[in-house]
Amino acid sequence: MSAPRWLSPAEQRAWRTHLALHKLLMHRLDRELQEHALSVNDYEILVNLSESPEHRMRMSDLADATIQSRSRLSHQISRMEAKGLVAREDCHDDRRGTFAVLTDEGWATIERVAPDHVASVREHFVDRLTDDQLDALVVAYEPIVEHLKKLR
């Protein structure tokens, strides 16, 4: 077994800064969404459904899109169904398949909450960076995202 490749001070700083940013930003966005009785996971599901044709997605595709296990997504959808935000519908092409469908209440919620959420993303992230810094983040993160997608 080879010796571990410890992180250099610069690598350690970059890694820990990334972790802190992710945790702090998600915590802040989650707290602000709670004012609308939503979690970050709820909001992500509503966004995915609102952007999908007919405001519906197969549960398996939604789990992949939100990077959740099928079991965890099923529990999440059950909580959202209880709030009237989504509904489940059988897939007529595949008896084993189920769709998650955005309800009228879910659509009204995303329309009401999205402006506040976008303002929060701007305040806590986008507006803190220059256009060049945003471009550099995309350039830096895209290859990592693609690498990790292949491993799923």
Side-chain angles (χ1 to χ4, degrees), residues 20 31-32 43 58 76-77 91 106 120 133 143:
R31 285 190 65 183
E32 292 179 6
Y43 187 79
R58 290 178 69 95
Q76 182 77 33
I77 292 296
C91 177
S120 293
Q133 289 171 321

Side-chain angles (χ1 to χ4, degrees), residues 69-120:
S69 70
R70 279 140 180 76
S71 173
R72 181 178 171 148
L73 177 67
S74 182
H75 291 293
Q76 182 77 33
I77 292 296
S78 293
R79 289 188 293 273
M80 293 177 75
E81 277 183 302
K83 294 179 181 180
L85 301 172
V86 298
R88 293 179 210 238
E89 291 182 3
D90 292 333
C91 177
H92 300 294
D93 298 341
D94 178 0
R95 291 183 186 170
R96 296 172 296 157
T98 304
F99 285 105
V101 182
L102 191 63
T103 62
D104 290 343
E105 178 63 25
W107 179 253
T109 298
I110 196 76
E111 284 189 312
R112 184 177 68 254
V113 175
D116 290 345
H117 181 68
V118 169
S120 293

Side-chain angles (χ1 to χ4, degrees), residues 117-130:
H117 181 68
V118 169
S120 293
V121 170
R122 284 198 159 285
E123 177 184 356
H124 303 304
F125 184 72
V126 173
D127 291 346
R128 305 259 171 228
L129 301 167
T130 66

Side-chain angles (χ1 to χ4, degrees), residues 45-82:
I45 289 167
L46 292 176
V47 167
N48 273 275
L49 293 175
S50 73
E51 293 174 348
S52 295
E54 300 178 26
H55 298 165
R56 68 177 52 231
M57 288 179 75
R58 290 178 69 95
M59 291 282 286
S60 57
D61 294 337
L62 186 56
D64 290 343
T66 58
I67 313 172
Q68 295 187 56
S69 70
R70 279 140 180 76
S71 173
R72 181 178 171 148
L73 177 67
S74 182
H75 291 293
Q76 182 77 33
I77 292 296
S78 293
R79 289 188 293 273
M80 293 177 75
E81 277 183 302

